[in-house]
Amino acid sequence: QVTLVESGGGLVQAGGSLRLSCAASGRAFSSDFMGWFRQAPGKEREIVAAIMWSTGVSYYSDFVKGRFTISGGNAKNTVYLQLNSLKPEDTAVYYCAAGSRGAMTGPSNYHYWGQGTQVTVSS
């Protein structure tokens, strides 16, 4: 059984920073890419950032470019998201996910999902 566990969420003031971590475990686990998604109350889940293991290429949604940074561990089963210059509109549950084949920007290509970690940014 494959599990993804996120950590690092919390409450922070606008302009502050957080670092999210996600660790995947399970003998059957493998992935071509890992990413972070978020879902705010009343809104659909959206991709935040993703990283392709084979090339190291990363993707960022426009609303986080220049503020968030995705990185991965050497074992390719850990992914991090550094969140800087946080805004109240970044408040959401952040989910880690792992996938294979297809575009790393496509939510349907992600097969493993974590339970999520809450990020709350106060103004």
Side-chain angles (χ1 to χ4, degrees), residues 3 8 11 22 26 28 36 39 54 63-64 72-73 100 103 105 113-114 122:
T3 58
L11 173 64
C22 172
W36 289 93
Q39 187 168 20
S54 60
F63 53 78
V64 301
S100 299
T105 55
W113 292 83
S122 63

Side-chain angles (χ1 to χ4, degrees), residues 88-104:
E89 51 264 43
D90 293 319
T91 295
V93 177
Y94 284 70
Y95 297 90
C96 167
S100 299
R101 295 182 290 277
M104 61 178 173

Side-chain angles (χ1 to χ4, degrees), residues 25-91:
S25 61
R27 294 173 61 183
F29 179 76
S30 67
S31 69
D32 295 331
F33 43 81
M34 292 185 73
W36 289 93
F37 293 74
R38 72 184 187 184
Q39 187 168 20
K43 295 187 177 181
E44 293 187 353
R45 189 173 297 188
E46 59 186 359
I47 187 169
V48 176
I51 185 167
M52 180 74 72
W53 294 130
S54 60
T55 62
V57 171
S58 55
Y59 165 85
Y60 295 95
S61 289
D62 287 344
F63 53 78
V64 301
K65 282 182 179 177
R67 299 190 298 123
F68 294 4
T69 303
I70 190 170
S71 60
N74 291 333
K76 300 180 181 179
N77 63 350
T78 305
V79 66
Y80 307 97
L81 188 67
Q82 179 68 39
L83 294 70
N84 296 330
S85 302
L86 282 160
K87 305 175 182 180
E89 51 264 43
D90 293 319
T91 295

